[in-house]
Amino acid sequence: MERGAIPLADLDGDFDLQATVESGQSYLWDRSDGGMYERMDAHGGDAWYETVVPPLDAVGNDRAVVRVRQTEGRLEWESTTDAVPILTHLLRLDDDLEAILAATPDDPLLDRAYETYRGMRLVRDPPFPCLISFICSAQMRVSRIHGMQTALAREYGDRLAVDGRTYHAFPTPAQLAARSEAELRDLKLGYRAPYVQRTAEMVAEGEADPAAARGRDYEAARDYLTGFVGVGDKVADCVLLFSLGYLEAVPLDTWIRSAIADHYPDCDKGSYADTSRAIRERLGGEFAGYAQTYLFYYLRAGGE
């Protein structure tokens, strides 16, 4: 593998690798020590994280194995190719985090969340794995969601042998579409199994593609994604926020609905669409998704 490091002083704003990849945004990374998602408030650690990255638009045409950890003042990486553009893309190292947080409203709850998880960034996951991950997320703990994605990669994805170790790529749409509902249920996907199988089939056969939502107006992009089987407004918002770069998206999950009830009750407008518009405006509009993610992580870990 190639090796290198990214000086954190070169970034605009702080960075916390552990908070970024263990905050419930992405289920496509593993920890080398097996400790992924053991804590509800993970941040500030120095463990190695690893993933297999498919070809990424505007980044590279090759699949890559990438490992990364945060040490004092830098991100150390190992990869089958130059990992700097890949990590910059996946971990949004090109965001000006300081400016983004400064642009969000002055709010005591947000201020506490920002201070607790200083340096957490949004992720920019590959669209198809992100879509499948959040189809599997309904009524599931983050550790279970991660376990499902790991099982899918282990059973149906390609195996890559690198430096004496075997890594498992997330299945392609064709690989997942070829599995039966019964096989997916055997991996503990439950009622989500037919949704995963049919969504993979839609992508594999060219009927739809989550990446095709990119470039549309926000609400039109959300509507497009709800055309996939098992995808409602909340899952669509997760894909828009954590994969497709719609930083204004605010997924209305249990924790954000609780935040609305307890702290922003005037934003509850009844319907998903109307409540979504109101809370997006309250959280700052353009970067509301950043505020949402900090609130989600802070409240889920017991913050008040």
Side-chain angles (χ1 to χ4, degrees):
M1 287 217 213
E2 298 182 26
R3 291 170 174 78
I6 300 172
L8 296 180
D10 291 350
L11 306 184
D12 292 317
D14 296 319
F15 182 71
D16 188 311
L17 175 63
Q18 184 174 24
T20 300
V21 299
E22 291 199 51
S23 51
Q25 305 180 56
S26 175
Y27 301 98
L28 305 176
W29 292 86
D30 284 318
R31 265 174 61 169
S32 295
D33 62 4
M36 196 77 178
Y37 285 120
E38 282 185 345
R39 292 172 49 195
M40 295 286 284
D41 64 340
H43 61 100
D46 60 0
W48 279 100
Y49 294 89
E50 55 199 31
T51 190
V52 178
V53 185
L56 298 169
D57 292 343
V59 177
N61 297 319
D62 298 321
R63 184 164 54 184
V65 174
V66 176
R67 304 181 73 238
V68 62
R69 71 170 177 174
Q70 183 169 349
T71 58
E72 188 65 33
R74 64 182 191 164
L75 284 177
E76 297 180 0
W77 58 262
E78 301 175 351
S79 177
T80 51
T81 188
D82 179 10
V84 173
I86 295 172
L87 291 171
T88 299
H89 179 88
L90 294 178
L91 303 176
R92 301 195 68 98
L93 303 182
D94 49 348
D95 281 352
D96 186 340
L97 185 60
E98 188 171 333
I100 288 171
L101 299 187
T104 56
D106 185 11
D107 178 285
L109 180 62
L110 276 174
D111 290 345
R112 292 194 295 274
Y114 291 155
E115 183 60 32
T116 302
Y117 298 108
R118 180 178 295 275
M120 182 175 71
R121 294 179 180 237
L122 294 182
V123 298
R124 194 189 274 126
D125 274 349
F128 177 70
C130 181
L131 175 62
I132 297 300
S133 295
F134 283 100
I135 288 175
C136 291
S137 69
Q139 299 178 330
M140 278 288 163
R141 301 188 308 274
V142 291
S143 58
R144 287 286 305 280
I145 303 165
H146 178 257
M148 289 178 184
Q149 309 323 300
T150 300
L152 288 172
R154 182 184 66 244
E155 295 297 324
Y156 306 131
D158 291 338
R159 298 182 179 185
L160 290 80
V162 179
D163 289 352
R165 290 189 57 196
T166 300
Y167 299 86
H168 300 272
F170 194 84
T172 64
Q175 287 172 326
L176 266 188
R179 314 323 305 185
S180 68
E181 179 182 334
E183 288 175 308
L184 296 176
R185 285 185 181 273
D186 286 343
L187 294 185
K188 311 300 184 186
L189 267 65
Y191 70 85
R192 306 157 194 82
Y195 303 158
V196 168
Q197 197 279 333
R198 176 62 183 130
T199 289
E201 188 176 64
M202 292 172 72
V203 180
E205 295 181 356
E207 184 178 343
D209 183 346
R214 190 185 287 120
R216 302 170 188 243
D217 289 341
Y218 164 62
E219 292 193 2
R222 186 172 66 196
D223 288 344
Y224 174 82
L225 290 176
T226 60
F228 288 99
V229 179
V231 176
D233 289 328
K234 193 269 285 188
V235 169
D237 269 335
C238 289
V239 178
L240 292 175
L241 181 59
F242 302 132
S243 177
L244 300 180
Y246 287 79
L247 301 187
E248 70 268 44
V250 176
L252 299 183
D253 57 27
T254 299
W255 295 104
I256 297 306
R257 288 189 180 277
S258 294
I260 291 171
D262 295 341
H263 301 277
Y264 316 109
D266 57 315
C267 291
D268 187 350
K269 303 298 184 181
S271 72
Y272 188 102
D274 290 342
T275 301
S276 173
R277 293 187 195 105
I279 192 64
R280 290 201 312 273
E281 183 177 349
R282 176 62 63 87
L283 296 181
E286 182 181 4
F287 302 117
Y290 254 103
Q292 179 272 344
T293 303
Y294 273 88
L295 286 179
F296 167 84
Y297 200 34
Y298 180 71
L299 295 172
R300 189 172 67 88
E304 297 179 352

